Amino acid sequence: MATHTITLHPSNTTVAVPTGALITEALREAGLDVAQPCGGQGRCGRCAVVVEAGNVRRRSTIRLSGADLEAGYALACQTVIEGDATLLVPEQEKIERRLVTDKTARKVGVPFPYDPARDQTVRAFPLSLDEPTLTDTVDDYARLERSLAAHGIRNLDVPLPILQTLGPRLRDANWQVTAIVETDNWRRPDGPPRLIDLVGQSHGQAQGQSHGIAPTESGRADPRAGSPIYGVAIDIGTTTVTVYLVNLLTGEAVDAAAEYNGQIRRGEDVISRIIYASKNNGLGEMGALVRSTINEVIERLAQRNHVEQKQIYKATVVGNTTMMHLFLGLPPASIRLTPYIPTVNHPLPLLASDLGLDIHPLATVDCLPGVASYVGADITGGVLACGLAEADALTLFIDVGTNGEMVLGTRDWLVTCACSAGPAFEGAGVVCGMRATRGAIEEVWINSQTFEPTYRVIGETRPRGICGSGLISLVAELFITGVMDKSGNFDVGADPVSARTPRVRVGDHGPEYVVAWASETDTGRDIVLTKVDVDNLMRAKAAIYAGFTVLAQSVGVDLKDVERLLIGGAFGKYINVEKAVQIGLLPDMPWDRFNFLGNTAVMGAYMALLSREARAQIKAIAEKMTYIELSTDNTFYDAFTSALFLPHTDMGRFPTVAKIWGNGEREE
Amino acid sequence: MATHTITLHPSNTTVAVPTGALITEALREAGLDVAQPCGGQGRCGRCAVVVEAGNVRRRSTIRLSGADLEAGYALACQTVIEGDATLLVPEQEKIERRLVTDKTARKVGVPFPYDPARDQTVRAFPLSLDEPTLTDTVDDYARLERSLAAHGIRNLDVPLPILQTLGPRLRDANWQVTAIVETDNWRRPDGPPRLIDLVGQSHGQAQGQSHGIAPTESGRADPRAGSPIYGVAIDIGTTTVTVYLVNLLTGEAVDAAAEYNGQIRRGEDVISRIIYASKNNGLGEMGALVRSTINEVIERLAQRNHVEQKQIYKATVVGNTTMMHLFLGLPPASIRLTPYIPTVNHPLPLLASDLGLDIHPLATVDCLPGVASYVGADITGGVLACGLAEADALTLFIDVGTNGEMVLGTRDWLVTCACSAGPAFEGAGVVCGMRATRGAIEEVWINSQTFEPTYRVIGETRPRGICGSGLISLVAELFITGVMDKSGNFDVGADPVSARTPRVRVGDHGPEYVVAWASETDTGRDIVLTKVDVDNLMRAKAAIYAGFTVLAQSVGVDLKDVERLLIGGAFGKYINVEKAVQIGLLPDMPWDRFNFLGNTAVMGAYMALLSREARAQIKAIAEKMTYIELSTDNTFYDAFTSALFLPHTDMGRFPTVAKIWGNGEREE
């Protein structure tokens, strides 16, 4: 096969690739890391490069304007090399986003009265073994078991790596050791207990560590006097990985930290990641990326809290079903294809060494149970954390990200569904969309007379695009001020707005509203919201609202009867509820019924980390939840179609919006 | 540190080593594999090299004669390099020993009526899963469990490596699979069952294999119709590793093979191996050596029986406690040091992948239980196989190798002890001793008039030395013909034999008897038995006989009351019982009470491989056996001292020997 020389500017490097290779392959060959938020599907346009010279074939130009094409732009993921070529690779945008957890570092309280002897499955037992003699010759293993029997631990499992050093460890420590034991787990409620580590007093002292062993005078163990033992609660979000470091003796969340999921560079949403993971070695790469993110966060937590990573003896993990599959190395392809079947919703407990987590290699890693391909452990964890499963009143819990997952119920029953909202609320799939990073317009106000906007930019800098909360805000303002009608059409009626402001115009992608002129932006281009973007956002919000409707209908209640609306996820932290109600994303109800809970997923993982009982509750929640698959639900399509308006076909569902809109004197 | 150049002949290679290095280190540096049967203690003399020139310091010369030293010999393991040197490395003897199992290839019968559905813990279940639909969306894992529930399998454990390919395996096989499941093991008598493999019909066909799936018409599984499933029973002997390949559907031992334990080159007896394993990385090397031997034997068995190694789903392992420790990578040092404590007598079930066995990586490897540091799983397995635990009559079971282990008892009680016989009976620690290889004198007869010997040599070639059975035979003949007295002294009394034959003389090591003159040997040297050798053999046989005595005394019975004497181990296959009784190694009793059973250890492993019940019996045997530690037993020393004669101080214990000896007219 012929090979071609590709010259890359500005680095001026050259690589050789065969005929038919994609430009992305040439870039990777040259060691350049190209962002592919859409997973290499040509949807996001983020991998655009300029073809300065040479022979290439553009398979898809969907995200490029006529001007872009004239300037030589091509999508690296969609362009085939057919001869020597010279390419200009624009500098990748530096991703600087606000990471909430590290900034706020709020103290998270122990969520319930905690007694490790009652609640915790990982315990530290200080032991003083009898030294063997010629008349007491039981083997080391049986001797350890005999000593643990005083603590009610019997039939101990000793994993091979510990067995292989058991003899020297006991002798070096002069038979004074602390045994770290997992007494049980959800899969083995009656044991057998498993030895995770054996820490010798002399060993600890020799290394200057605090592996103190302090049997009380009566010889009985005080678990708080033993070695420090820690756990981690991990939330693998599609966008952000969050970890709590927890002291298992006190139950306290010592610290928390977060980092962007390293998989983002291979796809922004779960569908893109499934597609990427289904390619050659994509699964292995996805696993390595998220593992490395988690390990970075754990290392940071350990260092700044002076904890040794090998003192972390337990982990609980939540995430959506796709994130769990990628973390566990399970091929996710069937999640995306009808009938949407995951490999497993409730994985068995595993070992840190199986998964490459940099904590004690024999620590249990417990992935909490999900319910279905699109309702994962982040939601069951969230239901536990938000208290829905113990609610007397009718409660709706939602967690909106790339997908909108929602649960309706009380202590007696739970129904759940997931809507494929798409990435619009995360700024993807929108011409000037971006993530909630520095330079993103996050809130917009429009003057109803002049139609001139005022906006707030993250980082108080020149704007580069619009993030999810900015988009919701902008659509709501365009609707309320009459720039758009209920269907999201610009410039309609007898007195079109375009006659009164140059901000409403027809651009490359059809009708659009200019939020910021090129002269005031960081990119030197206008920042606009197009009709196509509005349609995307309408579909996203309609899908979520239709989900609420179907859930309520499925159990024969009315959304109006919902007494509490609990909103989890980072989305809930930034969204302007008033605007979200105005576009019909959230139901119109008294504001005191809304509760913003932040990251309920990691909170659920934290509770499960602490308590055998909480862990059992999550399992019970997962088993109790009735999953409604919307793609087979006859009522969903109707509900979706009805919601494809601002805020809804049935204005009666949105009385407060009707009132504001009425004040604007646009009653029809 | 200064380094020196060592030139090695005949290969003419040179290596550089620092001052103070041993010659063994220089040889290893040069890639030469030196035999160290005694573990580098200078006891065996097998690593002798000739120092042609240069500066070395001999730390020990215990095994070299004055003539050897004059000729420049040095023990590589005991000689320190202090300057440049030139060494001649004699060609290593090629080890060619007779390997019984491969030669005889006796058909081993299924030891009891075998019904896999009742007896076997590893089963094959042909399954036809429901294909998922939008109204039947349970995950793959739960779907598999649902299908297995029809076979009574519930709460299945699916190990991560299978989970990681579960989705594609089920879909590629079009939901028609055979599940290989371990339903339980001794540690988990009530489960949960564990999936070992999932074999797809289409997969098997694509590879041209015989993974047939044949659900019967009723839809119920016939385990014999599923995939072939095999197991291996492994006996790790100090000298020989023996493996049975077993069809788990029929119970039949399809084939058996054996190979010398690769650890031999690092020490012939367990003590030497413990010492070697306690050196730098010695433990890792010992583990690798035995693993490699086992894998070679398994590969040979699989190839010649057209079995794929990944179709071997279960292994049982026996061996003495030290062999088990080295196999499992457990440091054995404490076995050798008072109070002789092993890390573990009864290891938990492990996975083949944990231990590097080349069978299915998720196969269970079940190491059978031992009793103490010197009574291992080879003995408990032997007790099961020989039927002692179900005997009505008083029975003595012995397994003599480097150590002599023995068990006395009936169905109601068992006592056991182990005597450190040393390696004399295996030809080590004796000047002209050798293993039972080609060239070894294995039987000797002495003319009582001329004192001229007749001997038989293994391989019918010129003799190179004397093996264990030859030594027993020779000592018995020397005693019976009056060349030696009851104390093992040569040439005593008024009419010394040395006056009548040149074969009795005084050599480098004191008095000796010449078995073969240099002119008739393969080595060009006389083959002799020295007084020192005789003393070694006397101590060995006295230790074993004293063991019998102490065992009998401990339970208040007389050796004469023993109704059956069961002899296990390869030793029993070659030994001449008459001669063994004549030297006082075995008790003098009617010959019809002796039973030679061959390798009872591997037979025990085979039975445990087949049957849950047999496995439970071995555990019960191990728990029932009372171990007597001879080093703390007051009666042992007296019994040993009394046995340090030919055949014993108390001739009344050996009436048939007294009679022969009397016929020789040497009544005293």
Side-chain angles (χ1 to χ4, degrees), chain A residues 205-259:
Chain A
Q205 287 176 338
Q207 301 194 1
Q209 293 159 10
S210 55
H211 293 320
I213 293 165
T216 56
E217 281 187 28
S218 69
R220 298 292 301 276
D222 174 4
R224 293 179 192 239
S227 296
I229 57 176
Y230 291 92
V232 281
I234 302 170
D235 168 33
I236 306 179
T238 309
T239 302
T240 302
V241 171
T242 305
V243 181
Y244 283 10
L245 176 68
V246 179
N247 181 330
L248 298 184
L249 297 178
T250 63
E252 184 192 15
V254 177
D255 198 356
E259 188 52 78

Side-chain angles (χ1 to χ4, degrees), chain A residues 155 157 164 187-188 328, chain B residues 155 157 164 187-188 328:
Chain A
N155 283 323
D157 266 7
Q164 288 175 331
R187 178 66 170 185
R188 308 264 185 275
L328 296 176
Chain B
N155 282 323
D157 266 6
Q164 287 175 333
R187 178 64 172 185
R188 309 263 186 275
L328 297 176

Side-chain angles (χ1 to χ4, degrees), chain B residues 66-82:
Chain B
D68 288 339
L69 288 172
E70 264 175 48
Y73 277 95
L75 298 179
C77 71
Q78 294 294 329
T79 304
V80 174
I81 288 163
E82 301 190 330

Side-chain angles (χ1 to χ4, degrees), chain B residues 239-586:
Chain B
T239 302
T240 303
V241 171
T242 305
V243 180
Y244 283 10
L245 176 68
V246 179
N247 181 330
L248 298 184
L249 297 178
T250 64
E252 184 191 16
V254 177
D255 198 357
E259 188 52 79
Y260 293 109
N261 186 332
Q263 293 172 344
I264 288 175
R265 74 190 68 154
R266 300 286 173 259
E268 291 217 341
D269 55 50
V270 294
I271 298 300
S272 306
R273 296 204 199 157
I274 291 173
I275 291 168
Y276 192 90
S278 306
K279 294 180 188 170
N280 270 350
N281 198 35
L283 182 58
E285 188 182 345
M286 285 302 204
L289 287 168
V290 70
R291 217 163 21 246
S292 143
T293 301
I294 296 170
N295 285 336
E296 271 171 46
V297 179
I298 290 174
E299 188 184 356
R300 193 192 309 158
L301 283 169
Q303 282 184 355
R304 74 186 182 202
N305 293 283
H306 309 291
V307 167
E308 289 186 66
Q309 282 170 254
K310 68 175 186 204
Q311 291 174 335
I312 301 172
Y313 293 113
K314 186 179 179 183
T316 48
V317 185
V318 296
N320 65 51
T321 304
T322 299
M323 288 303 109
M324 287 299 206
H325 275 57
L326 297 179
F327 175 59
L328 297 176
L330 313 179
S334 59
I335 289 177
R336 182 176 153 248
L337 304 170
T338 178
Y340 318 114
I341 308 295
T343 294
V344 62
N345 284 316
H346 197 178
L348 299 185
L350 294 163
L351 297 183
S353 56
D354 292 333
L355 296 168
L357 283 198
D358 290 344
I359 58 178
H360 194 288
L362 295 172
T364 283
V365 179
D366 184 7
C367 295
L368 303 191
V371 174
S373 272
Y374 294 100
V375 176
D378 48 349
I379 302 307
T380 56
V383 168
L384 176 77
C386 77
L388 169 52
E390 290 172 350
D392 292 315
L394 183 63
T395 303
L396 179 63
F397 167 67
I398 68 167
D399 191 335
V400 175
T402 306
N403 286 305
E405 292 109 342
M406 53 201 73
V407 187
L408 180 68
T410 70
R411 61 163 70 247
D412 298 319
W413 54 270
L414 298 167
V415 290
T416 184
C417 70
C419 321
S420 178
F425 291 130
E426 297 182 279
V430 172
V431 169
C432 293
M434 66 183 286
R435 287 188 296 250
T437 323
R438 185 178 165 83
I441 292 172
E442 59 171 346
E443 182 118 43
V444 184
W445 302 266
I446 294 177
N447 182 307
S448 60
Q449 306 306 317
T450 64
F451 307 107
E452 283 300 297
T454 311
Y455 50 77
R456 192 174 68 223
V457 178
I458 296 174
E460 292 171 10
T461 178
R462 284 166 161 280
R464 294 195 295 118
I466 318 173
C467 68
S469 61
L471 289 166
I472 290 168
S473 179
L474 178 55
V475 172
E477 289 289 297
L478 291 173
F479 168 59
I480 295 296
T481 58
V483 179
M484 282 186 331
D485 69 4
K486 282 185 66 170
S487 302
N489 292 318
F490 286 103
D491 204 28
V492 288
D495 179 20
V497 175
S498 61
R500 292 183 275 158
T501 172
R503 289 188 182 264
V504 175
R505 67 184 189 192
V506 175
D508 273 340
H509 301 281
E512 64 191 22
Y513 175 82
V514 182
V515 188
W517 297 112
S519 59
E520 56 193 287
T521 69
D522 193 45
T523 56
R525 295 204 213 172
D526 295 344
I527 294 174
V528 300
L529 181 76
T530 70
K531 175 67 170 79
V532 176
D533 297 338
V534 172
D535 290 345
N536 273 338
L537 288 161
M538 294 274 273
R539 276 194 294 274
K541 76 96 192 171
I544 289 172
Y545 191 84
F548 299 147
T549 310
V550 170
L551 269 197
Q553 282 180 356
S554 76
V555 290
V557 302
D558 198 290
L559 273 180
K560 288 195 207 93
D561 301 330
V562 170
E563 294 184 41
R564 285 170 71 211
L565 180 60
L566 308 177
I567 302 177
F571 182 84
K573 284 201 168 175
Y574 301 112
I575 202 173
N576 180 320
V577 178
E578 185 184 7
K579 303 278 173 76
V581 171
Q582 285 172 357
I583 69 164
L585 169 60
L586 294 178

Side-chain angles (χ1 to χ4, degrees), chain A residues 510-556:
Chain A
E512 62 189 25
Y513 174 83
V514 182
V515 187
W517 299 110
S519 60
E520 57 193 287
T521 69
D522 192 45
T523 58
R525 295 201 215 174
D526 295 344
I527 294 175
V528 300
L529 182 75
T530 72
K531 177 66 171 80
V532 177
D533 296 339
V534 173
D535 290 347
N536 273 338
L537 289 160
M538 294 275 272
R539 277 195 293 275
K541 76 98 191 170
I544 289 170
Y545 191 84
F548 299 148
T549 311
V550 170
L551 271 197
Q553 281 181 358
S554 75
V555 290

Side-chain angles (χ1 to χ4, degrees), chain A residues 133-134 137-141 155-157 163-164 171 187-188 192 328-331 339 341-345 348 632, chain B residues 133-134 137-141 155-157 163-164 187-188 192 328-331 334 339 341-345 348 632:
Chain A
T133 65
L134 280 167
T137 59
V138 304
D139 60 63
D140 295 341
Y141 192 132
N155 283 323
L156 185 72
D157 266 7
L163 193 65
Q164 288 175 331
R171 287 168 181 78
R187 178 66 170 185
R188 308 264 185 275
L328 296 176
L330 314 178
I341 309 295
T343 294
V344 62
N345 284 315
L348 300 184
T632 58
Chain B
T133 65
L134 280 167
T137 59
V138 303
D139 60 64
D140 296 342
Y141 192 129
N155 282 323
L156 185 72
D157 266 6
L163 193 66
Q164 287 175 333
R187 178 64 172 185
R188 309 263 186 275
L328 297 176
L330 313 179
S334 59
I341 308 295
T343 294
V344 62
N345 284 316
L348 299 185
T632 58

